[in-house]
Amino acid sequence: MTKTKAEIIFELQKELLPLQGFKHSLGIGAVDTGLGPIRYSFPNATFPVGAMHEFICTGPEDGAATAGFISGILSSLMRNGGVSLWISSSQTIFAPSFTHFGIAPDKIIFVNVAKERDVLWCIEEALKCDGLASVIGEINELSFTASRRFQLAVEQNRVTGFIIRNKPHNLATTACIARWKISSLPSIRVNDMPGIGFPRWNVELIKVRNGKTGCWQVEWMGRKFRHVNHIVPFIREVPLVNKLIS
Amino acid sequence: MSKRFVVIWFPYLRTDWFTRRKQILKELPFVLTVPDHGRQLISASNPIAREQGVETGMVLADARAVIPSLQVLDDRPEISHRLLKGLAEWCTKYTPFVAIDLHGGLILDASGCTHLWGGEIRYLEDILTRFKNLGYHTRAAIADTIGTAWAMAHYGKGPLIIESKQQTAALMSLPAEALRIEAETVEQLYNLGLGRISGFIGMQRSALRRRFGRSILQRLDQALGNEEEIVEPVQPVIPYQERLPSLEPIITATGIEIGLQRLLGTLCHRLKQEQKGLKTAIFKCYRTDGRIEKIEIGTNHPSSNSTHLFKLFELKISCIEPGPGIDLFLLEAQKTETVSPLQEKIWQKTGGLNNIQLSELFDRIAGKFGNDHIQRYVPDEHYWPERSIKPALSVNEELLREWKTGRPRPVQLLSSPEQVQVTAPVPDYPPMNFRYKGKLHKIIKADGPERIEQEWWLQQGQHRDYYYVEDEEGRRYWLFRAGHYSDSSYQWFIHGFFA
């Protein structure tokens, strides 16, 4: 029986994937990160753990949204008692907020080192450590060489790496398998209750290796992600106080 | 196993020290003096001066009469002890057990060490040549007991290596003072015509005790090996210690690495057999010029994993200055703890904070940057946001209380709140808009206020009313007003960013 051309291509693609850093996502025991439809953007429709993800931020508000989205992913990565390392040159993350994402804040260990190159060193060492669930590193600039080193390190282990880049000057290609951009979206009030609803983000997958880029709207609802299926039109609401006065 | 002791005597300890600092003194007769009742008394003289008849205890004026060109320096008697201590520490390259002899010498317990230098003759030769190169005059002897070695070093002639169990024969011809007995007893012995040890060594013990007291018997027994002599070593004996002498001085990093790896290999093998793990270790490199280079490491979990320990040392190898070369490596495990190997296996399977690899990672980071760069937080009994968490004392500290989950807390907290300008028309309602870093944010939705009072037992000041607000672009902030709205002194601050 001869194989059709499509079948051959499919098989070759399957062989190529492990060589391109998707080694673990093919194996059994893939973690369901609860990202729903977003996973269809990745090869084999699985969110790649044991790989490097890059997040681009343009300010502290974006940084907070990104940290929130990553925390959401971490909550499933750390479900079976794992530990994560958060490495930065100046720590801004407020540990108690992890409780909102179902993570015990004491399971996150912060490493603060002054210089960027020391941060790079720490990230690489941490990625080599089998005992971690994930490593989050905050650095502004990431050279291709550095990202390649990270990617090679994660391919050895099952550690998932997240790099948060705040206001990067140079957005050149890196060896990370995905580049994301998370920004805040106005929340929607639940049942017309006053106040602020669940945190909602615009999740943009700018680059993904062997996958499809895309843009989704995601909400963190208590303990899991929820997709906002319909595109919410951007309505400029009347400021709160005006409403109160009227 | 019979013990072997080396006694090193420095007959010109202080003058040698002065000569080392001023090489020109080597050629000249010189003495050290101390003032005594308005005259200068000689407290030490160098070999040249002594040859010409200037002895310790002479008055300087008399000495000047003997040698008109005599150089005189003020003595510093207090350096003796410090100097001996330094020399003793340097001597730990020959044996871990080195003690200071109060008569201006050192006592080395050389049991089981001499074969590393190729026998006792070479061992002793090495010590003597090293000290000679450093500029010290020494006399040394090796024997089964400290007493005999001391006697031979100070008064002995001929071979200074006393074969095992030959103490009696060696002591025979020596004067009585070689036994380290009081001057009074020595004088008594001389008066009785017993100036040599051979004169009284065969006497009845009871007769000796009756005439000269107990101490002479004790000293005799100590010299002959019938009674053990206890001396206090300069450095307490460290059980986990490995040493590696090198044939030729090592100056390259690769050489140091090989030495370290070998030492770690043997030490870790021993630790594993005894089910121990090291918590702190020190790696010392003895340079040929007498300096000691050392690097230290510490671990969170007691470890006997040589690859991990090597990685910790590796970060610091660049700090070692090999100088003219390193001829001895020494590795000490200063602090060890018992570990059960069964436990390790359980840890390796589960993740979590007790993971061995994780603690090894922390060791590496802490070794490179310091322990305070690794932070883990546990909840504290405070509502005040800055004080609601505290750094955990150790990486695996247990939680004493639960995390509070009731109130919203921002993902990012500013290290100190930053003042913002707001428009807030209604008392106790969230502001309409605020200006932060020059940008105006219009507030659409808000939650709050959450009042957090000052903890007056810790700090005085105004309370905070926190608002969780969202602007028109969906960005979420944590603002607070310090003070009552009715007060004229209230101020608005931004304190964090929500996800």
Side-chain angles (χ1 to χ4, degrees), chain B residues 319-330:
Chain B
C319 308
I320 298 176
E321 272 181 50
I326 296 160
D327 60 357
L328 180 90
F329 296 109
L330 193 143

Side-chain angles (χ1 to χ4, degrees), chain B residues 367-416:
Chain B
K368 193 165 162 126
F369 306 107
N371 230 337
D372 49 335
H373 290 273
I374 302 170
Q375 218 64 282
R376 176 176 168 251
Y377 295 98
V378 290
D380 204 358
E381 289 281 298
H382 295 284
Y383 281 103
W384 201 250
E386 287 94 330
R387 282 193 284 264
S388 62
I389 53 171
K390 61 175 178 187
L393 295 175
S394 75
V395 166
N396 27 26
E397 186 187 307
E398 294 289 322
L399 283 195
L400 293 176
R401 47 189 75 86
E402 291 289 298
W403 288 96
K404 296 189 194 85
T405 49
R407 307 298 311 176
R409 286 291 174 264
V411 166
Q412 293 194 350
L413 192 76
L414 294 170
S415 49
S416 57

Side-chain angles (χ1 to χ4, degrees), chain B residues 451-494:
Chain B
R451 175 162 295 182
I452 299 179
E453 286 285 353
Q454 280 282 5
E455 291 159 313
W456 51 264
W457 58 98
L458 294 170
Q459 185 184 318
Q460 299 292 321
Q462 286 171 312
H463 66 255
R464 292 170 173 182
D465 281 337
Y466 276 97
Y467 292 94
Y468 170 23
V469 300
E470 186 182 288
D471 72 359
E472 75 271 30
E473 283 170 64
R475 294 160 174 169
R476 291 169 273 271
Y477 302 89
W478 210 29
L479 307 179
F480 73 82
R481 187 188 59 227
H484 281 288
Y485 190 82
S486 50
D487 292 348
S488 54
S489 61
Y490 71 86
Q491 276 176 322
W492 283 89
F493 293 92
I494 178 167

Side-chain angles (χ1 to χ4, degrees), chain A residues 61 64 67 81 91-92 94 97 100 106 110-112 118 125 130 184-187 195-196 200-201 240-241, chain B residues 352 357 364 369 373 375-377 403 407 409-413 432 444-447 468 470 474 476-477 498:
Chain A
E61 295 92 344
Q91 191 199 327
T92 51
F94 189 49
S97 69
H100 302 299
D106 51 292
F110 295 91
V111 176
N112 296 303
D118 293 338
E125 285 294 310
D130 238 344
S184 308
L185 280 182
S187 63
I196 297 174
R200 182 179 282 215
W201 308 295
L240 184 80
V241 180
Chain B
Q357 285 183 314
R364 282 203 293 282
F369 306 107
H373 290 273
Q375 218 64 282
R376 176 176 168 251
Y377 295 98
W403 288 96
R407 307 298 311 176
R409 286 291 174 264
V411 166
Q412 293 194 350
L413 192 76
M432 248 161 50
I444 307 291
K445 302 189 193 83
D447 256 341
Y468 170 23
E470 186 182 288
R476 291 169 273 271
Y477 302 89
F498 280 91

Side-chain angles (χ1 to χ4, degrees), chain A residues 145-221:
Chain A
T145 324
S147 66
R148 187 87 199 117
R149 289 179 72 112
F150 293 166
Q151 183 62 32
L152 288 173
V154 289
E155 279 173 25
Q156 301 293 316
N157 303 305
R158 243 189 109 72
V159 184
T160 314
F162 300 97
I163 302 288
I164 303 175
R165 298 177 62 190
N166 194 13
K167 291 185 194 157
H169 290 296
N170 182 8
L171 270 179
T173 317
T174 62
C176 301
I177 67 153
R179 178 178 285 172
W180 306 73
K181 183 165 184 353
I182 317 291
S183 44
S184 308
L185 280 182
S187 63
I188 299 298
R189 293 204 181 100
V190 187
N191 304 331
D192 265 343
M193 296 264 275
I196 297 174
F198 295 115
R200 182 179 282 215
W201 308 295
N202 187 43
V203 177
E204 230 180 306
L205 197 50
I206 308 173
K207 273 186 181 174
V208 54
R209 207 185 304 154
N210 296 317
K212 292 188 288 287
T213 56
C215 187
W216 300 268
Q217 297 200 345
V218 176
E219 210 171 53
W220 181 257
M221 217 176 76

